[in-house]
Amino acid sequence: MNPSIKFILVFIISLEISLKASLTTNSIVIVCALLYLLWHKISLKDLGLLLTVPLIAAFTIFATLYWFSTKPDHYYAWVLASRVYAYVLSIACVVKTTIAAQLARSFEQNLHLPSKFAYGALAALNIIPRMQMAVKRIRTAAMMRSVYLSFWSPILYFKAILVALSSSENLAQGMESHGYVEGKERSAIIKIPLTSNDWCIFVLILFLFNICLFIFR
């Protein structure tokens, strides 16, 4: 499915389940999301994290509404707890099956997002590994001078900001040297097609979801 359509579908589903309480629909979304992730061969480690990390938030919500409320509501407690997993797993269907570069290119080509935002997002994502390596080099250089820079040290972040500013200037010069001009139309090396099949799947899934949402409790 087209990345933009997939993102919009997950956004609409998340918005609708937040407006209407339906434990059955939440369960269906969770099961379908798990099957989709397994179909795309998600690793057991990532799947385990997706199931265990939201457990704290889901359990807290359930305990607050069921055990610590003046008027315990068993059903509504399960609804809100299941929403946590529905949100996390549905978003994981986009994150775990779509490359960030594909999503940014799809936003630019299919949703007509300005190129400066698309390229800016790609630049920010691509610079993260470089910043991680820069922070490691800064800490290593400091340790060679018998200075330990902790995670919350302002000196570490000040030096990291200087590295980021230098990298941003190099990136801007590189984009200009490759012919990037803000506001001008650009040709796409990698096309992200938006076909009629994508729209058919989008409408079908949304139609079936709304039937479940307004029929089942």
Side-chain angles (χ1 to χ4, degrees):
M1 181 183 285
N2 181 274
S4 296
I5 295 297
K6 190 189 304 183
F7 174 82
I8 294 173
L9 179 63
V10 169
F11 176 78
I12 293 175
I13 290 176
S14 301
L15 181 62
E16 290 193 12
I17 63 176
S18 67
L19 297 177
K20 189 176 187 300
S22 176
L23 180 59
T24 304
T25 305
N26 292 349
S27 302
I28 292 174
V29 171
I30 292 172
V31 173
C32 291
L34 286 173
L35 293 176
Y36 183 80
L37 291 171
L38 292 173
W39 182 54
H40 281 272
K41 299 179 180 180
I42 186 175
S43 64
L44 294 178
K45 179 182 178 181
D46 292 340
L47 184 61
L49 290 174
L50 288 174
L51 294 176
T52 54
V53 172
L55 182 62
I56 300 175
F59 178 76
T60 302
I61 293 173
F62 180 85
T64 302
L65 294 177
Y66 187 66
W67 289 320
F68 301 104
S69 178
T70 55
K71 296 180 180 179
D73 190 337
H74 181 271
Y75 175 79
Y76 199 62
W78 277 111
V79 168
L80 293 186
S82 63
R83 276 182 187 173
V84 175
Y85 277 98
Y87 292 147
V88 171
L89 293 175
S90 59
I91 294 173
C93 289
V94 178
V95 175
K96 294 296 183 180
T97 61
T98 306
I99 302 174
Q102 291 179 341
L103 187 61
R105 290 192 178 102
S106 179
F107 281 171
E108 181 190 9
Q109 298 176 26
N110 306 134
L111 299 184
H112 305 291
L113 183 74
S115 59
K116 61 181 179 180
F117 292 109
Y119 283 94
L122 290 175
L125 292 173
N126 290 327
I127 206 174
I128 289 177
R130 296 183 181 181
M131 289 304 303
Q132 291 175 340
M133 292 299 299
V135 169
K136 289 181 180 179
R137 287 197 296 266
I138 293 171
R139 298 185 69 177
T140 302
M143 291 177 67
M144 294 178 66
R145 300 192 303 270
S146 300
V147 177
Y148 175 73
L149 298 179
S150 59
F151 179 76
W152 52 85
S153 174
I155 299 177
L156 176 63
Y157 288 103
F158 177 74
K159 292 185 177 182
I161 290 173
L162 295 179
V163 174
L165 292 175
S166 176
S167 299
S168 65
E169 292 179 0
N170 294 334
L171 178 62
Q173 292 176 1
M175 292 179 68
E176 290 180 359
S177 65
H178 281 77
Y180 178 81
V181 179
E182 183 178 349
K184 300 293 184 180
E185 293 185 2
R186 295 181 58 84
S187 59
I189 298 177
I190 300 176
K191 294 285 187 178
I192 307 295
L194 179 58
T195 64
S196 57
N197 289 333
D198 294 325
W199 284 112
C200 290
I201 295 173
F202 171 79
V203 173
L204 178 61
I205 294 176
L206 201 59
F207 176 73
L208 295 176
F209 168 76
N210 280 276
I211 290 178
C212 296
L213 185 64
F214 290 98
I215 290 180
F216 299 117
R217 185 174 183 271

